[in-house]
Amino acid sequence: MKKLILLMLLVVYGYSTQLVLGVVPQQSPLKLAKKWLKVTKYLEEQTGIKVVFKTETSIPKFEKMLYAGKYDIAYMNPYHFIVAKKTQNFEAFTRADKNIVGIVLSKEKEVDFSKANLAGKTFLFPAPNAFAATLLPKFELREKFGIDIDKEAKVLYVNSHDSVYKGISRGIGYLGGGIVRTFNNFVDKNDKDKLNIVYKTDAYPSHPIAAHPRVKNDDIMKIQKAFLAMPKEIKKLLSIKNFIVTNSAEYDVIKEVKKAD
């Protein structure tokens, strides 16, 4: 009965479908809402589909919801996609055209990445499975510099990219992981002026937007088309220049990083 009433209400207000869009909380829910509510409004206008924005207070909580299939479509990091594909058979359909690069920041202008210098130091990361901000720096420090910071240093997870940047600036950690986009969007000037990017990882396919298999293909195509045609002023809110078509196979390269985790 409740489902029937909901369907009737959707039809009355012009929507025949409702989709929940989950967004990985790289920033606070409030900051994300200010951006993504404009995105969902645009998607509704273009597709006639009711799109409901949803995020969580931390990346681990987002992962729990994602892997349980609680979102119809989701904006997630590449590592999340590999797991969501395996657990719920999500399929990627669009992403930003620019590849993603992890960064490591410090208050120092240059850092000695030798094991002798990094052993015992404190590293800050947003979450254990944040792809470019956590997994890539860990992976490349191990592969290129021979240090396993999980075993040979101290690691603290602080919930968001902004918290990493503040923590490094305020001396809570020696090095911290992030990405260029969230660092560019970090607006606390007193903290930002104290930070330096001391390392950049290799580039990988950026965060996909993917759909749960219960979503109709026609609806996916409508959503994809809307992202591809998104006006510049809305893309600017997301710090994305353009969206492009992608597919799940493009993310097979991420499995190597996951395998080494």
Side-chain angles (χ1 to χ4, degrees):
M1 186 65 178
K2 289 183 178 180
K3 290 184 178 180
L4 178 60
I5 294 173
L6 177 59
L7 179 60
M8 291 173 64
L9 287 172
L10 290 173
V11 172
V12 168
Y13 286 98
Y15 300 113
S16 58
T17 304
Q18 175 171 299
L19 299 177
V20 175
L21 168 61
V23 177
V24 59
Q26 294 173 312
Q27 298 174 297
S28 72
L30 181 59
K31 286 184 178 180
L32 289 180
K34 289 179 179 179
K35 301 173 182 180
W36 283 89
L37 287 175
K38 293 181 180 179
V39 173
T40 55
K41 181 181 178 182
Y42 162 77
L43 293 176
E44 291 175 5
E45 292 171 348
Q46 294 298 307
T47 66
I49 299 169
K50 176 67 176 176
V51 183
V52 179
F53 164 76
K54 186 80 168 63
T55 191
E56 311 301 332
T57 55
S58 70
I59 293 176
K61 289 181 180 178
F62 170 82
E63 292 168 348
K64 184 177 179 180
M65 297 291 283
L66 176 67
Y67 303 155
K70 299 298 184 181
Y71 308 125
D72 298 306
I73 52 178
Y75 175 74
M76 64 192 81
N77 77 38
Y79 175 88
H80 291 151
F81 174 70
I82 294 300
V83 181
K85 170 68 175 170
K86 183 177 181 180
T87 59
Q88 293 288 332
N89 201 28
F90 271 83
E91 294 288 352
F93 63 89
T94 193
R95 71 173 179 91
D97 61 344
K98 192 173 182 179
N99 286 342
I100 192 168
V101 174
I103 58 174
V104 177
L105 302 105
S106 176
K107 291 179 72 174
E108 297 183 6
K109 291 187 177 180
E110 293 185 4
V111 168
D112 174 10
F113 281 93
S114 68
K115 183 183 293 189
N117 182 52
L118 297 183
K121 293 288 200 303
T122 298
F123 288 72
L124 304 185
F125 297 107
N129 293 326
F131 178 69
T134 302
L135 295 178
L136 284 184
K138 284 185 179 183
F139 174 72
E140 294 198 7
L141 287 174
R142 184 167 61 247
E143 295 294 308
K144 297 181 180 182
F145 301 101
I147 180 168
D148 186 334
I149 63 173
D150 283 317
K151 296 178 180 178
E152 300 170 272
K154 183 179 180 181
V155 174
L156 297 177
Y157 299 110
V158 293
N159 282 337
S160 72
H161 292 219
D162 285 2
S163 295
V164 170
Y165 306 145
K166 290 177 183 178
I168 298 301
S169 172
R170 299 172 191 183
I172 297 172
Y174 176 63
L175 293 173
I179 61 174
V180 172
R181 178 172 54 79
T182 58
F183 184 60
N184 288 343
N185 289 339
F186 183 55
V187 295
D188 193 321
K189 186 172 175 59
N190 290 333
D191 286 319
K192 192 170 187 175
D193 287 347
K194 299 174 185 176
L195 298 173
N196 300 286
I197 297 174
V198 294
Y199 181 78
K200 290 185 177 181
T201 71
D202 294 337
Y204 289 81
S206 58
H207 289 44
I209 299 173
H212 193 278
R214 65 174 166 266
V215 181
K216 296 178 181 178
N217 189 62
D218 286 350
D219 290 338
I220 294 173
M221 292 298 100
K222 289 177 183 177
I223 295 291
Q224 182 189 66
K225 184 178 178 181
F227 271 106
L228 296 178
M230 185 176 285
K232 288 182 179 179
E233 60 269 21
I234 300 180
K235 289 185 289 189
K236 189 175 181 180
L237 293 172
L238 305 177
S239 299
I240 291 174
K241 288 188 176 181
N242 288 298
F243 285 99
I244 60 173
V245 173
T246 190
N247 56 54
S248 298
E250 187 177 17
Y251 291 87
D252 285 347
V253 66
I254 308 302
K255 294 176 182 178
E256 293 305 310
V257 178
K258 183 179 183 295
K259 189 185 301 180
D261 180 43

